Amino acid sequence: MSDDDVVTANRTRALVVYESMFGNTMLVAAAVARGLARSGVDQDVIDLAETTDPPSPPAGYDLLVVGAPTHAFSLSRTSSRRQAVEQGAPADRAAHGLREWLASLPRSGTQQSAATFDTRVATMRHLPGSAAVKAARLLRRHGHHLQERPRSFYVSGTEGPLVDGELARAEDWGASLGSRLLPPGPASPSAGRG
């Protein structure tokens, strides 16, 4: 094993998996990944619509972050993705959904850390139900430990765009998630001196 392999093996890693119909959730996922990188976490980002073979269980990652748009107060279904295509979303975005990927995960025996996010229309922010809440419930059923409550990021309408400031908020959230994964840094020289 080379020195590079040892360094890579010891790095904290996160997997960000998302579904996006109009591109807003994709932008949030990229911002979360930037925040994870800013905190020193290596990350892989997977768009479920761009893979014919959705990723297998996320073994080897310290954190699983999943995101999707809220459809009918929950994760999308085949029928709601078809409706999004009828409203102008690209047809190739409707093939794979986060709901189906999460259902295919085996039960985690390691209490892997996870976090969930969604995008939803800002005018609906006070209504119950969201894709992130449903994803969190499914992850808990599969034995994952949620690092914090589900997070929503807001769009101005069904097709977007994201509300001003949401990408910065998503990046900061990613950095916060990453900082909780990393061991504390070395104590400063003055630490512990009174």
PDB file of all heavy atoms in Angstrom, residues 87-124:
ATOM      1  N   GLN A  87     -44.975  19.197 -17.342  1.00  0.00           N
ATOM      2  CA  GLN A  87     -44.829  20.618 -17.035  1.00  0.00           C
ATOM      3  C   GLN A  87     -43.537  21.202 -17.592  1.00  0.00           C
ATOM      4  O   GLN A  87     -43.230  22.361 -17.355  1.00  0.00           O
ATOM      5  CB  GLN A  87     -44.880  20.842 -15.524  1.00  0.00           C
ATOM      6  CG  GLN A  87     -46.212  20.527 -14.919  1.00  0.00           C
ATOM      7  CD  GLN A  87     -46.196  20.650 -13.395  1.00  0.00           C
ATOM      8  OE1 GLN A  87     -45.174  20.905 -12.775  1.00  0.00           O
ATOM      9  NE2 GLN A  87     -47.349  20.461 -12.788  1.00  0.00           N
ATOM     10  N   GLY A  88     -42.738  20.387 -18.312  1.00  0.00           N
ATOM     11  CA  GLY A  88     -41.545  20.908 -18.958  1.00  0.00           C
ATOM     12  C   GLY A  88     -40.221  20.336 -18.509  1.00  0.00           C
ATOM     13  O   GLY A  88     -39.171  20.700 -19.046  1.00  0.00           O
ATOM     14  N   ALA A  89     -40.211  19.452 -17.525  1.00  0.00           N
ATOM     15  CA  ALA A  89     -38.949  18.829 -17.108  1.00  0.00           C
ATOM     16  C   ALA A  89     -38.477  17.864 -18.201  1.00  0.00           C
ATOM     17  O   ALA A  89     -39.295  17.266 -18.896  1.00  0.00           O
ATOM     18  CB  ALA A  89     -39.133  18.071 -15.794  1.00  0.00           C
ATOM     19  N   PRO A  90     -37.170  17.703 -18.373  1.00  0.00           N
ATOM     20  CA  PRO A  90     -36.659  16.761 -19.374  1.00  0.00           C
ATOM     21  C   PRO A  90     -37.115  15.330 -19.058  1.00  0.00           C
ATOM     22  O   PRO A  90     -37.073  14.898 -17.905  1.00  0.00           O
ATOM     23  CB  PRO A  90     -35.138  16.873 -19.240  1.00  0.00           C
ATOM     24  CG  PRO A  90     -34.899  18.179 -18.552  1.00  0.00           C
ATOM     25  CD  PRO A  90     -36.091  18.415 -17.682  1.00  0.00           C
ATOM     26  N   ALA A  91     -37.547  14.617 -20.086  1.00  0.00           N
ATOM     27  CA  ALA A  91     -38.072  13.256 -19.905  1.00  0.00           C
ATOM     28  C   ALA A  91     -37.049  12.313 -19.296  1.00  0.00           C
ATOM     29  O   ALA A  91     -37.409  11.423 -18.522  1.00  0.00           O
ATOM     30  CB  ALA A  91     -38.568  12.712 -21.242  1.00  0.00           C
ATOM     31  N   ASP A  92     -35.758  12.513 -19.602  1.00  0.00           N
ATOM     32  CA  ASP A  92     -34.741  11.603 -19.070  1.00  0.00           C
ATOM     33  C   ASP A  92     -34.541  11.754 -17.560  1.00  0.00           C
ATOM     34  O   ASP A  92     -33.908  10.925 -16.929  1.00  0.00           O
ATOM     35  CB  ASP A  92     -33.415  11.777 -19.805  1.00  0.00           C
ATOM     36  CG  ASP A  92     -32.812  13.161 -19.638  1.00  0.00           C
ATOM     37  OD1 ASP A  92     -33.525  14.106 -19.250  1.00  0.00           O
ATOM     38  OD2 ASP A  92     -31.605  13.306 -19.924  1.00  0.00           O
ATOM     39  N   ARG A  93     -35.084  12.792 -16.942  1.00  0.00           N
ATOM     40  CA  ARG A  93     -34.957  12.995 -15.495  1.00  0.00           C
ATOM     41  C   ARG A  93     -35.951  12.138 -14.711  1.00  0.00           C
ATOM     42  O   ARG A  93     -35.865  12.043 -13.499  1.00  0.00           O
ATOM     43  CB  ARG A  93     -35.190  14.465 -15.136  1.00  0.00           C
ATOM     44  CG  ARG A  93     -34.428  15.406 -15.999  1.00  0.00           C
ATOM     45  CD  ARG A  93     -33.176  16.010 -15.527  1.00  0.00           C
ATOM     46  NE  ARG A  93     -32.693  15.833 -14.227  1.00  0.00           N
ATOM     47  CZ  ARG A  93     -31.429  15.456 -13.956  1.00  0.00           C
ATOM     48  NH1 ARG A  93     -30.596  15.166 -14.928  1.00  0.00           N
ATOM     49  NH2 ARG A  93     -31.008  15.366 -12.730  1.00  0.00           N
ATOM     50  N   ALA A  94     -36.908  11.527 -15.406  1.00  0.00           N
ATOM     51  CA  ALA A  94     -37.988  10.822 -14.727  1.00  0.00           C
ATOM     52  C   ALA A  94     -37.719   9.333 -14.504  1.00  0.00           C
ATOM     53  O   ALA A  94     -38.520   8.650 -13.875  1.00  0.00           O
ATOM     54  CB  ALA A  94     -39.285  10.990 -15.522  1.00  0.00           C
ATOM     55  N   ALA A  95     -36.612   8.815 -14.984  1.00  0.00           N
ATOM     56  CA  ALA A  95     -36.375   7.366 -14.942  1.00  0.00           C
ATOM     57  C   ALA A  95     -36.176   6.825 -13.524  1.00  0.00           C
ATOM     58  O   ALA A  95     -36.775   5.818 -13.164  1.00  0.00           O
ATOM     59  CB  ALA A  95     -35.171   7.016 -15.809  1.00  0.00           C
ATOM     60  N   HIS A  96     -35.320   7.447 -12.738  1.00  0.00           N
ATOM     61  CA  HIS A  96     -34.996   6.940 -11.401  1.00  0.00           C
ATOM     62  C   HIS A  96     -35.354   7.985 -10.358  1.00  0.00           C
ATOM     63  O   HIS A  96     -35.042   9.154 -10.523  1.00  0.00           O
ATOM     64  CB  HIS A  96     -33.495   6.648 -11.264  1.00  0.00           C
ATOM     65  CG  HIS A  96     -32.961   5.676 -12.246  1.00  0.00           C
ATOM     66  ND1 HIS A  96     -33.257   4.338 -12.212  1.00  0.00           N
ATOM     67  CD2 HIS A  96     -32.147   5.851 -13.304  1.00  0.00           C
ATOM     68  CE1 HIS A  96     -32.648   3.725 -13.201  1.00  0.00           C
ATOM     69  NE2 HIS A  96     -31.967   4.622 -13.883  1.00  0.00           N
ATOM     70  N   GLY A  97     -35.939   7.519  -9.272  1.00  0.00           N
ATOM     71  CA  GLY A  97     -36.254   8.426  -8.182  1.00  0.00           C
ATOM     72  C   GLY A  97     -35.579   8.011  -6.889  1.00  0.00           C
ATOM     73  O   GLY A  97     -35.184   6.853  -6.712  1.00  0.00           O
ATOM     74  N   LEU A  98     -35.434   8.965  -5.999  1.00  0.00           N
ATOM     75  CA  LEU A  98     -34.802   8.702  -4.716  1.00  0.00           C
ATOM     76  C   LEU A  98     -35.617   7.713  -3.883  1.00  0.00           C
ATOM     77  O   LEU A  98     -35.057   6.869  -3.183  1.00  0.00           O
ATOM     78  CB  LEU A  98     -34.599  10.013  -3.950  1.00  0.00           C
ATOM     79  CG  LEU A  98     -33.780   9.908  -2.675  1.00  0.00           C
ATOM     80  CD1 LEU A  98     -32.351   9.434  -2.965  1.00  0.00           C
ATOM     81  CD2 LEU A  98     -33.742  11.242  -1.961  1.00  0.00           C
ATOM     82  N   ARG A  99     -36.940   7.791  -3.968  1.00  0.00           N
ATOM     83  CA  ARG A  99     -37.798   6.862  -3.222  1.00  0.00           C
ATOM     84  C   ARG A  99     -37.429   5.415  -3.556  1.00  0.00           C
ATOM     85  O   ARG A  99     -37.244   4.588  -2.673  1.00  0.00           O
ATOM     86  CB  ARG A  99     -39.266   7.116  -3.548  1.00  0.00           C
ATOM     87  CG  ARG A  99     -40.234   6.142  -2.865  1.00  0.00           C
ATOM     88  CD  ARG A  99     -41.660   6.345  -3.366  1.00  0.00           C
ATOM     89  NE  ARG A  99     -42.202   7.631  -3.034  1.00  0.00           N
ATOM     90  CZ  ARG A  99     -42.914   7.897  -1.953  1.00  0.00           C
ATOM     91  NH1 ARG A  99     -43.167   6.952  -1.062  1.00  0.00           N
ATOM     92  NH2 ARG A  99     -43.398   9.102  -1.741  1.00  0.00           N
ATOM     93  N   GLU A 100     -37.303   5.115  -4.838  1.00  0.00           N
ATOM     94  CA  GLU A 100     -36.995   3.749  -5.263  1.00  0.00           C
ATOM     95  C   GLU A 100     -35.586   3.338  -4.836  1.00  0.00           C
ATOM     96  O   GLU A 100     -35.356   2.198  -4.433  1.00  0.00           O
ATOM     97  CB  GLU A 100     -37.145   3.613  -6.784  1.00  0.00           C
ATOM     98  CG  GLU A 100     -38.569   3.781  -7.281  1.00  0.00           C
ATOM     99  CD  GLU A 100     -39.009   5.232  -7.483  1.00  0.00           C
ATOM    100  OE1 GLU A 100     -38.180   6.158  -7.288  1.00  0.00           O
ATOM    101  OE2 GLU A 100     -40.171   5.438  -7.847  1.00  0.00           O
ATOM    102  N   TRP A 101     -34.625   4.272  -4.931  1.00  0.00           N
ATOM    103  CA  TRP A 101     -33.255   3.949  -4.526  1.00  0.00           C
ATOM    104  C   TRP A 101     -33.194   3.658  -3.035  1.00  0.00           C
ATOM    105  O   TRP A 101     -32.578   2.681  -2.610  1.00  0.00           O
ATOM    106  CB  TRP A 101     -32.294   5.071  -4.914  1.00  0.00           C
ATOM    107  CG  TRP A 101     -30.879   4.708  -4.585  1.00  0.00           C
ATOM    108  CD1 TRP A 101     -30.086   3.804  -5.250  1.00  0.00           C
ATOM    109  CD2 TRP A 101     -30.092   5.209  -3.510  1.00  0.00           C
ATOM    110  NE1 TRP A 101     -28.853   3.725  -4.644  1.00  0.00           N
ATOM    111  CE2 TRP A 101     -28.830   4.574  -3.575  1.00  0.00           C
ATOM    112  CE3 TRP A 101     -30.316   6.127  -2.505  1.00  0.00           C
ATOM    113  CZ2 TRP A 101     -27.803   4.832  -2.669  1.00  0.00           C
ATOM    114  CZ3 TRP A 101     -29.295   6.392  -1.594  1.00  0.00           C
ATOM    115  CH2 TRP A 101     -28.056   5.737  -1.689  1.00  0.00           C
ATOM    116  N   LEU A 102     -33.843   4.489  -2.231  1.00  0.00           N
ATOM    117  CA  LEU A 102     -33.839   4.267  -0.789  1.00  0.00           C
ATOM    118  C   LEU A 102     -34.503   2.937  -0.436  1.00  0.00           C
ATOM    119  O   LEU A 102     -34.033   2.219   0.455  1.00  0.00           O
ATOM    120  CB  LEU A 102     -34.532   5.415  -0.057  1.00  0.00           C
ATOM    121  CG  LEU A 102     -33.789   6.751  -0.066  1.00  0.00           C
ATOM    122  CD1 LEU A 102     -34.671   7.856   0.502  1.00  0.00           C
ATOM    123  CD2 LEU A 102     -32.477   6.654   0.689  1.00  0.00           C
ATOM    124  N   ALA A 103     -35.583   2.591  -1.135  1.00  0.00           N
ATOM    125  CA  ALA A 103     -36.266   1.322  -0.869  1.00  0.00           C
ATOM    126  C   ALA A 103     -35.376   0.124  -1.189  1.00  0.00           C
ATOM    127  O   ALA A 103     -35.533  -0.941  -0.591  1.00  0.00           O
ATOM    128  CB  ALA A 103     -37.559   1.251  -1.675  1.00  0.00           C
ATOM    129  N   SER A 104     -34.420   0.307  -2.090  1.00  0.00           N
ATOM    130  CA  SER A 104     -33.545  -0.806  -2.478  1.00  0.00           C
ATOM    131  C   SER A 104     -32.359  -0.999  -1.529  1.00  0.00           C
ATOM    132  O   SER A 104     -31.660  -2.005  -1.618  1.00  0.00           O
ATOM    133  CB  SER A 104     -33.016  -0.591  -3.905  1.00  0.00           C
ATOM    134  OG  SER A 104     -32.021   0.421  -3.921  1.00  0.00           O
ATOM    135  N   LEU A 105     -32.133  -0.056  -0.635  1.00  0.00           N
ATOM    136  CA  LEU A 105     -30.996  -0.171   0.284  1.00  0.00           C
ATOM    137  C   LEU A 105     -31.215  -1.296   1.282  1.00  0.00           C
ATOM    138  O   LEU A 105     -32.298  -1.425   1.846  1.00  0.00           O
ATOM    139  CB  LEU A 105     -30.793   1.125   1.077  1.00  0.00           C
ATOM    140  CG  LEU A 105     -30.269   2.345   0.346  1.00  0.00           C
ATOM    141  CD1 LEU A 105     -30.188   3.524   1.310  1.00  0.00           C
ATOM    142  CD2 LEU A 105     -28.932   2.078  -0.284  1.00  0.00           C
ATOM    143  N   PRO A 106     -30.183  -2.094   1.529  1.00  0.00           N
ATOM    144  CA  PRO A 106     -30.306  -3.080   2.601  1.00  0.00           C
ATOM    145  C   PRO A 106     -30.225  -2.370   3.952  1.00  0.00           C
ATOM    146  O   PRO A 106     -29.766  -1.229   4.040  1.00  0.00           O
ATOM    147  CB  PRO A 106     -29.088  -3.986   2.390  1.00  0.00           C
ATOM    148  CG  PRO A 106     -28.093  -3.122   1.686  1.00  0.00           C
ATOM    149  CD  PRO A 106     -28.895  -2.147   0.862  1.00  0.00           C
ATOM    150  N   ARG A 107     -30.652  -3.037   4.973  1.00  0.00           N
ATOM    151  CA  ARG A 107     -30.576  -2.463   6.325  1.00  0.00           C
ATOM    152  C   ARG A 107     -29.116  -2.251   6.690  1.00  0.00           C
ATOM    153  O   ARG A 107     -28.286  -3.120   6.516  1.00  0.00           O
ATOM    154  CB  ARG A 107     -31.251  -3.398   7.319  1.00  0.00           C
ATOM    155  CG  ARG A 107     -31.291  -2.829   8.706  1.00  0.00           C
ATOM    156  CD  ARG A 107     -32.357  -3.488   9.550  1.00  0.00           C
ATOM    157  NE  ARG A 107     -32.281  -3.048  10.919  1.00  0.00           N
ATOM    158  CZ  ARG A 107     -32.633  -1.856  11.363  1.00  0.00           C
ATOM    159  NH1 ARG A 107     -33.085  -0.967  10.528  1.00  0.00           N
ATOM    160  NH2 ARG A 107     -32.529  -1.547  12.636  1.00  0.00           N
ATOM    161  N   SER A 108     -28.797  -1.064   7.212  1.00  0.00           N
ATOM    162  CA  SER A 108     -27.431  -0.745   7.618  1.00  0.00           C
ATOM    163  C   SER A 108     -27.181  -1.328   9.001  1.00  0.00           C
ATOM    164  O   SER A 108     -27.929  -1.061   9.928  1.00  0.00           O
ATOM    165  CB  SER A 108     -27.230   0.771   7.652  1.00  0.00           C
ATOM    166  OG  SER A 108     -26.002   1.083   8.248  1.00  0.00           O
ATOM    167  N   GLY A 109     -26.130  -2.104   9.121  1.00  0.00           N
ATOM    168  CA  GLY A 109     -25.788  -2.655  10.418  1.00  0.00           C
ATOM    169  C   GLY A 109     -24.832  -1.772  11.186  1.00  0.00           C
ATOM    170  O   GLY A 109     -24.452  -2.091  12.302  1.00  0.00           O
ATOM    171  N   THR A 110     -24.448  -0.638  10.595  1.00  0.00           N
ATOM    172  CA  THR A 110     -23.413   0.191  11.212  1.00  0.00           C
ATOM    173  C   THR A 110     -23.916   1.529  11.737  1.00  0.00           C
ATOM    174  O   THR A 110     -23.129   2.316  12.214  1.00  0.00           O
ATOM    175  CB  THR A 110     -22.304   0.483  10.187  1.00  0.00           C
ATOM    176  OG1 THR A 110     -22.880   1.207   9.090  1.00  0.00           O
ATOM    177  CG2 THR A 110     -21.661  -0.788   9.693  1.00  0.00           C
ATOM    178  N   GLN A 111     -25.215   1.791  11.662  1.00  0.00           N
ATOM    179  CA  GLN A 111     -25.752   3.091  12.071  1.00  0.00           C
ATOM    180  C   GLN A 111     -25.029   4.219  11.336  1.00  0.00           C
ATOM    181  O   GLN A 111     -24.588   5.201  11.935  1.00  0.00           O
ATOM    182  CB  GLN A 111     -25.642   3.278  13.590  1.00  0.00           C
ATOM    183  CG  GLN A 111     -26.718   2.565  14.368  1.00  0.00           C
ATOM    184  CD  GLN A 111     -28.059   3.251  14.260  1.00  0.00           C
ATOM    185  OE1 GLN A 111     -28.197   4.433  14.497  1.00  0.00           O
ATOM    186  NE2 GLN A 111     -29.081   2.503  13.871  1.00  0.00           N
ATOM    187  N   GLN A 112     -24.866   4.056  10.024  1.00  0.00           N
ATOM    188  CA  GLN A 112     -24.195   5.063   9.215  1.00  0.00           C
ATOM    189  C   GLN A 112     -24.896   6.410   9.357  1.00  0.00           C
ATOM    190  O   GLN A 112     -26.120   6.486   9.383  1.00  0.00           O
ATOM    191  CB  GLN A 112     -24.187   4.635   7.756  1.00  0.00           C
ATOM    192  CG  GLN A 112     -23.501   5.641   6.850  1.00  0.00           C
ATOM    193  CD  GLN A 112     -23.557   5.227   5.402  1.00  0.00           C
ATOM    194  OE1 GLN A 112     -24.559   4.719   4.943  1.00  0.00           O
ATOM    195  NE2 GLN A 112     -22.481   5.462   4.692  1.00  0.00           N
ATOM    196  N   SER A 113     -24.120   7.477   9.451  1.00  0.00           N
ATOM    197  CA  SER A 113     -24.668   8.824   9.537  1.00  0.00           C
ATOM    198  C   SER A 113     -25.294   9.223   8.212  1.00  0.00           C
ATOM    199  O   SER A 113     -24.784   8.877   7.147  1.00  0.00           O
ATOM    200  CB  SER A 113     -23.576   9.828   9.891  1.00  0.00           C
ATOM    201  OG  SER A 113     -23.176   9.673  11.220  1.00  0.00           O
ATOM    202  N   ALA A 114     -26.383   9.960   8.295  1.00  0.00           N
ATOM    203  CA  ALA A 114     -27.083  10.409   7.094  1.00  0.00           C
ATOM    204  C   ALA A 114     -27.697  11.779   7.349  1.00  0.00           C
ATOM    205  O   ALA A 114     -27.879  12.194   8.497  1.00  0.00           O
ATOM    206  CB  ALA A 114     -28.161   9.403   6.694  1.00  0.00           C
ATOM    207  N   ALA A 115     -28.003  12.458   6.259  1.00  0.00           N
ATOM    208  CA  ALA A 115     -28.706  13.738   6.311  1.00  0.00           C
ATOM    209  C   ALA A 115     -29.577  13.825   5.064  1.00  0.00           C
ATOM    210  O   ALA A 115     -29.247  13.242   4.029  1.00  0.00           O
ATOM    211  CB  ALA A 115     -27.720  14.906   6.351  1.00  0.00           C
ATOM    212  N   THR A 116     -30.694  14.527   5.173  1.00  0.00           N
ATOM    213  CA  THR A 116     -31.620  14.635   4.043  1.00  0.00           C
ATOM    214  C   THR A 116     -31.962  16.100   3.777  1.00  0.00           C
ATOM    215  O   THR A 116     -31.994  16.921   4.693  1.00  0.00           O
ATOM    216  CB  THR A 116     -32.929  13.866   4.315  1.00  0.00           C
ATOM    217  OG1 THR A 116     -33.621  14.454   5.427  1.00  0.00           O
ATOM    218  CG2 THR A 116     -32.658  12.392   4.603  1.00  0.00           C
ATOM    219  N   PHE A 117     -32.199  16.392   2.503  1.00  0.00           N
ATOM    220  CA  PHE A 117     -32.657  17.731   2.123  1.00  0.00           C
ATOM    221  C   PHE A 117     -33.650  17.611   0.989  1.00  0.00           C
ATOM    222  O   PHE A 117     -33.746  16.585   0.316  1.00  0.00           O
ATOM    223  CB  PHE A 117     -31.482  18.637   1.738  1.00  0.00           C
ATOM    224  CG  PHE A 117     -30.832  18.315   0.418  1.00  0.00           C
ATOM    225  CD1 PHE A 117     -31.272  18.907  -0.760  1.00  0.00           C
ATOM    226  CD2 PHE A 117     -29.776  17.426   0.360  1.00  0.00           C
ATOM    227  CE1 PHE A 117     -30.672  18.608  -1.975  1.00  0.00           C
ATOM    228  CE2 PHE A 117     -29.166  17.127  -0.846  1.00  0.00           C
ATOM    229  CZ  PHE A 117     -29.613  17.725  -2.019  1.00  0.00           C
ATOM    230  N   ASP A 118     -34.408  18.678   0.802  1.00  0.00           N
ATOM    231  CA  ASP A 118     -35.303  18.739  -0.347  1.00  0.00           C
ATOM    232  C   ASP A 118     -35.357  20.157  -0.865  1.00  0.00           C
ATOM    233  O   ASP A 118     -34.821  21.088  -0.242  1.00  0.00           O
ATOM    234  CB  ASP A 118     -36.715  18.226  -0.006  1.00  0.00           C
ATOM    235  CG  ASP A 118     -37.446  19.051   1.051  1.00  0.00           C
ATOM    236  OD1 ASP A 118     -37.191  20.264   1.187  1.00  0.00           O
ATOM    237  OD2 ASP A 118     -38.293  18.482   1.757  1.00  0.00           O
ATOM    238  N   THR A 119     -35.971  20.296  -2.025  1.00  0.00           N
ATOM    239  CA  THR A 119     -36.336  21.608  -2.536  1.00  0.00           C
ATOM    240  C   THR A 119     -37.858  21.634  -2.553  1.00  0.00           C
ATOM    241  O   THR A 119     -38.509  20.608  -2.823  1.00  0.00           O
ATOM    242  CB  THR A 119     -35.782  21.852  -3.957  1.00  0.00           C
ATOM    243  OG1 THR A 119     -36.128  20.765  -4.801  1.00  0.00           O
ATOM    244  CG2 THR A 119     -34.264  22.029  -3.925  1.00  0.00           C
ATOM    245  N   ARG A 120     -38.400  22.789  -2.212  1.00  0.00           N
ATOM    246  CA  ARG A 120     -39.850  22.936  -2.213  1.00  0.00           C
ATOM    247  C   ARG A 120     -40.202  24.390  -2.480  1.00  0.00           C
ATOM    248  O   ARG A 120     -39.389  25.284  -2.264  1.00  0.00           O
ATOM    249  CB  ARG A 120     -40.453  22.421  -0.914  1.00  0.00           C
ATOM    250  CG  ARG A 120     -39.941  23.082   0.324  1.00  0.00           C
ATOM    251  CD  ARG A 120     -40.336  22.361   1.582  1.00  0.00           C
ATOM    252  NE  ARG A 120     -41.770  22.179   1.669  1.00  0.00           N
ATOM    253  CZ  ARG A 120     -42.395  21.796   2.759  1.00  0.00           C
ATOM    254  NH1 ARG A 120     -41.730  21.533   3.853  1.00  0.00           N
ATOM    255  NH2 ARG A 120     -43.691  21.673   2.781  1.00  0.00           N
ATOM    256  N   VAL A 121     -41.405  24.599  -2.953  1.00  0.00           N
ATOM    257  CA  VAL A 121     -41.862  25.936  -3.302  1.00  0.00           C
ATOM    258  C   VAL A 121     -41.992  26.764  -2.027  1.00  0.00           C
ATOM    259  O   VAL A 121     -42.591  26.326  -1.041  1.00  0.00           O
ATOM    260  CB  VAL A 121     -43.189  25.871  -4.079  1.00  0.00           C
ATOM    261  CG1 VAL A 121     -43.717  27.272  -4.382  1.00  0.00           C
ATOM    262  CG2 VAL A 121     -43.013  25.080  -5.379  1.00  0.00           C
ATOM    263  N   ALA A 122     -41.427  27.960  -2.051  1.00  0.00           N
ATOM    264  CA  ALA A 122     -41.373  28.816  -0.857  1.00  0.00           C
ATOM    265  C   ALA A 122     -42.756  29.120  -0.289  1.00  0.00           C
ATOM    266  O   ALA A 122     -42.919  29.178   0.930  1.00  0.00           O
ATOM    267  CB  ALA A 122     -40.636  30.114  -1.178  1.00  0.00           C
ATOM    268  N   THR A 123     -43.742  29.273  -1.128  1.00  0.00           N
ATOM    269  CA  THR A 123     -45.081  29.593  -0.622  1.00  0.00           C
ATOM    270  C   THR A 123     -45.716  28.417   0.108  1.00  0.00           C
ATOM    271  O   THR A 123     -46.717  28.585   0.784  1.00  0.00           O
ATOM    272  CB  THR A 123     -46.014  30.049  -1.762  1.00  0.00           C
ATOM    273  OG1 THR A 123     -46.062  29.016  -2.759  1.00  0.00           O
ATOM    274  CG2 THR A 123     -45.540  31.352  -2.376  1.00  0.00           C
ATOM    275  N   MET A 124     -45.113  27.227  -0.011  1.00  0.00           N
ATOM    276  CA  MET A 124     -45.635  26.029   0.654  1.00  0.00           C
ATOM    277  C   MET A 124     -44.830  25.672   1.906  1.00  0.00           C
ATOM    278  O   MET A 124     -45.019  24.615   2.478  1.00  0.00           O
ATOM    279  CB  MET A 124     -45.601  24.826  -0.305  1.00  0.00           C
ATOM    280  CG  MET A 124     -46.291  25.056  -1.600  1.00  0.00           C
ATOM    281  SD  MET A 124     -48.051  25.098  -1.334  1.00  0.00           S
ATOM    282  CE  MET A 124     -48.636  24.850  -2.985  1.00  0.00           C
TER     283      MET A 124
END
